[in-house]
Amino acid sequence: RHREQLKHDYAAIRKGYGINKMGLATLDVPDPETGGRKLITKANEIHDYLLQRNEKHFSQATYTTFGDAGPGFTYIDPNSSTSDAHIDAMLDGAFEPWESASPYVCEFLQELKCTIQDEISTKLQLSDFIQLFKTIPENTASSVSGLHYGHYRVLSK
């Protein structure tokens, strides 16, 4: 029943888009001059506005504690040869944060301490796969290959 509702919803979306899918023709944006809103209709203006907006949006984390420009980044920088030692110290609970670190950052770093003592077995048995295939609906796609779990269920019998 849920699947039928989803098919109906997606069919309505496809119908709304029509046969010829087009890019944005109009964009409603804030107007800094008036404090209200304005419509952008020229393709190059829409393009420029979205580029500017996305640049700001995707740079939000830059100045956070562990962002590229934050004080903690030097300890986890993937290009730094000393980062692995810092990360290991964090997981061991022995990492000493920088002087200006807030109490919240210090608490966060303490919570990173790995508390798992026992090693978890990663060996999978055939019975594990069979049990998995029995519990997942047959029409569920398993990957981009397009195979459904029903194929695997048949193979597991």
Side-chain angles (χ1 to χ4, degrees), residues 74-138:
T74 56
Y75 300 100
I76 60 167
D77 182 357
N79 297 318
S80 171
S81 59
T82 59
S83 287
D84 286 346
H86 293 302
I87 292 169
D88 287 341
M90 289 176 193
L91 295 175
D92 291 339
F95 180 75
E96 290 295 325
W98 52 99
E99 193 174 309
S100 64
S102 73
Y104 300 110
V105 170
C106 293
E107 182 180 353
F108 172 77
L109 290 167
Q110 281 302 309
E111 292 297 322
L112 290 177
K113 181 178 180 180
C114 183
T115 58
I116 298 173
Q117 301 300 322
D118 301 328
E119 195 156 320
I120 299 171
S121 171
T122 57
K123 188 172 183 179
L124 296 173
Q125 304 295 324
L126 179 60
S127 60
D128 297 328
F129 282 104
I130 292 171
Q131 183 60 35
L132 171 72
F133 299 142
K134 285 182 179 179
T135 59
I136 295 176
E138 286 188 31

